[in-house]
């Protein structure tokens, strides 16, 4: 396959997962993604691929996440899934000449796309080696207009002002510093923890509030380090790891025929997070995907809602948790099965006293 054909197929694959403006399609077609993964990457199947390996470029130009750094098998840096990047960049409504703050430089590829759209970008990464590699990849790819800083993204870029903020790592809430560096009318596009995943929010507000948001799309970003993921009053429990749960048994049979598709299930999941403080996800033995779970305080039981609407429960009070799950299903149906994009979010200042964050606290349809 020629380079041109490969890039054209790449853009078409991204387009199947995200609407693309002409400008963004051109950016995906012209920025050389391979320059940003020069030390290779791990694909979804755990295989490392390096430049020169057979199929390297085919794997680079695919609508898939490329994990570029792992620590004890846990991904700690990556180039995100291009269709997710596309949805977030479109939500950012970036125009030539805008100043953009990016938190999570990673490989530098997202910053390169933003710069190709005409933005000037300051991108921050907490890992010194990652920030240094992103900076040299940008130079190697001939991208100008991006500065990469090393530091905790909580601080943003002190002394600078921005038209837009984009966060490419999962956070518990927004740093007030980003909002004070954002010009009035600006938007911050941020994946904020909700029921164990990171739905992307389009957030508007000032450092002192009020801060409100709409929901853009689901995402599965890795979590940030530092105060951006500090425990807070409104947080849901962390997902239950494989083996953490005691045996669950079916309390209610399937409700949806056919079962909810991936997006419908995410919509139900989002609503469950609004209505239940213990909503998260769990690996359920015998089920081949992570499931929406109302996790009890012992973290060994509660109730899982499967994509077909069946409820499994277990632990100390299986009936109580199954009833909570049934209430959520009925409430979601009665509300007309609202998509996650239908929710409006009000955020509250919470987290660490000396490094607070704006976290989702109230929702309305
Ligand atoms: C998914 S990657 C970012 C992808 C990147 N935008 C790209 O185009 O390749 C997430 C990055 O966030 C960084 N990160 C984690 N916690 C952070 C924090 N508190 N401040 C700044 N960066 C952080 C990680 O080091 C990692 O490189």
């Amino acid at each position: 396959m020629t380079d041109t054909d490969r890039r054209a197929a790449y853009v078409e694959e991204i387009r199947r997962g995200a609407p693309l403006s002409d400008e963004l399609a051109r950016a995906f077609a012209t920025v050389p993604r391979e320059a940003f993964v020069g030390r290779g990457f791990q694909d979804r199947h755990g295989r490392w691929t390096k430049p020169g390996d057979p199929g390297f470029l085919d794997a680079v130009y695919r609508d898939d996440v490329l994990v570029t750094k792992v620590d004890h098998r846990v991904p700690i840096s990556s180039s995100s899934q291009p269709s997710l990047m596309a949805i977030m960049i479109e939500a950012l409504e970036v125009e030539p000449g805008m100043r953009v703050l990016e938190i999570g430089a990673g490989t530098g590829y997202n910053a390169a796309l933003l710069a190709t759209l005409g933005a000037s970008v300051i991108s921050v990464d907490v890992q010194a080696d990652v920030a240094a590699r992103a900076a040299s990849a940008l130079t190697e790819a001939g991208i100008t207009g991006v500065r990469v800083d090393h530091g905790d993204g909580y601080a943003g870029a002190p002394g600078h002002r921005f038209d837009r903020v984009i966060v490419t790592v999962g956070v518990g809430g927004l740093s007030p510093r980003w909002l004070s560096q954002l010009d009035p009318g600006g938007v911050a596009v941020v994946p904020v923890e909700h029921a164990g995943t990171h739905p992307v929010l389009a957030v508007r507000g000032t450092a002192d509030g009020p801060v409100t948001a709409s929901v853009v799309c689901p995402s599965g970003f890795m979590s940030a380090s530092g105060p951006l993921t500090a425990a807070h009053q409104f947080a849901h429990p962390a997902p239950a790891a494989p083996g953490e749960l005691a045996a669950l048994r079916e309390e209610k049979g399937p409700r949806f025929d056919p079962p909810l598709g991936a997006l419908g299930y995410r919509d139900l999941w989002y609503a469950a997070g609004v209505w239940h403080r213990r909503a998260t996800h769990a690996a359920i033995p015998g089920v081949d995907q992570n499931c929406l779970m109302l996790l009890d305080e012992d973290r060994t039981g509660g109730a899982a809602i499967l994509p077909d609407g069946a409820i499994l429960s277990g632990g100390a009070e299986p009936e109580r948790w199954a009833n909570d799950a049934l209430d959520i299903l009925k409430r979601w149906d009665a509300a007309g099965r609202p998509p996650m994009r239908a929710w409006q979010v009000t955020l509250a200042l919470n987290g660490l006293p000396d490094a607070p964050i704006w976290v989702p606290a109230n929702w309305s349809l």
Side-chain angles (χ1 to χ4, degrees):
M1 193 189 280
T2 67
D3 198 37
T4 313
D5 289 347
R6 189 182 285 113
R7 301 255 189 128
Y10 175 59
V11 171
E12 284 321 302
E13 192 185 351
I14 297 170
R15 209 190 287 283
R16 285 197 285 279
L20 284 182
S21 68
D22 291 349
E23 293 79 12
L24 188 52
R26 249 194 313 277
F28 275 113
T30 52
V31 175
R33 195 183 191 198
E34 68 273 28
F36 297 89
V37 291
R39 291 163 54 115
F41 55 84
Q42 178 183 280
D43 66 18
R44 272 187 203 273
H45 312 290
R47 283 187 299 256
W48 273 94
T49 310
K50 293 189 300 304
D53 286 351
F56 175 74
L57 285 178
D58 291 335
V60 166
Y61 286 101
R62 205 161 277 160
D63 183 24
D64 213 349
V65 60
L66 308 177
V67 172
T68 47
K69 189 173 173 187
V70 291
D71 182 23
H72 296 95
R73 298 189 180 189
V74 177
I76 55 169
S77 196
S78 64
S79 170
S80 310
Q81 185 171 16
S83 53
L84 174 59
M85 296 164 67
I87 293 171
M88 291 178 69
I89 290 174
E90 294 291 6
L92 205 61
E93 296 179 348
V94 67
E95 287 167 20
M98 281 187 170
R99 302 151 301 168
V100 178
L101 170 65
E102 181 187 45
I103 305 300
T107 61
Y109 182 56
N110 191 56
L113 294 169
L114 291 166
T116 305
L117 293 173
S120 63
V121 184
I122 297 182
S123 186
V124 185
D125 205 288
V126 73
Q127 301 187 66
D129 59 334
V130 170
R133 272 201 293 279
S136 39
L138 285 155
T139 307
E140 189 194 315
I143 304 286
T144 54
V146 182
R147 183 180 105 186
V148 182
D149 285 359
H150 166 227
D152 191 309
Y154 183 87
H160 291 266
R161 301 210 56 79
F162 299 97
D163 302 291
R164 300 285 186 263
V165 175
I166 185 166
V167 179
T168 58
V169 62
V171 296
L174 282 81
S175 166
R177 313 259 185 101
W178 306 339
L179 297 173
S180 65
Q181 292 161 21
L182 188 61
D183 274 357
V187 65
V189 173
V190 190
V192 184
E193 191 279 327
H194 179 89
T197 70
H198 293 101
V200 176
L201 302 183
V203 185
R204 293 173 193 276
T206 63
D208 301 323
V211 181
T212 56
S214 54
V215 184
V216 175
C217 66
S219 89
F221 275 100
M222 57 186 67
S223 289
S225 57
L228 293 171
T229 46
H232 64 82
Q233 183 192 341
F234 302 97
H236 294 93
E244 243 188 305
L245 289 181
L248 303 180
R249 68 176 181 82
E250 187 170 287
E251 198 75 32
K252 295 259 180 269
R255 180 185 186 91
F256 304 124
D257 184 18
L260 298 172
L263 289 178
Y265 191 44
R266 288 299 182 133
D267 293 338
L268 168 65
W269 191 321
Y270 192 90
V274 171
W275 293 325
H276 205 292
R277 296 316 317 156
R278 298 296 302 175
T280 184
H281 63 81
I284 314 280
V287 182
D288 61 2
Q289 68 176 100
N290 274 341
C291 291
L292 165 59
M293 174 89 201
L294 309 179
L295 189 63
D296 70 13
E297 279 75 12
D298 297 340
R299 297 185 58 84
T300 55
I305 305 177
L306 306 192
D308 64 7
I311 298 172
L312 316 183
S313 66
E317 295 177 280
E319 267 177 43
R320 170 163 88 82
W321 291 94
N323 284 336
D324 281 7
L326 187 58
D327 285 348
I328 288 169
L329 284 165
K330 287 183 177 165
R331 201 168 165 183
W332 192 59
D333 265 338
R337 300 188 181 183
M340 61 164 63
R341 293 178 71 101
W343 291 96
Q344 294 298 316
V345 189
T346 306
L347 292 89
L349 202 57
N350 216 276
L352 301 174
D354 56 349
I357 47 178
W358 285 98
V359 302
N362 278 294
W363 292 263
S364 60
L365 281 169

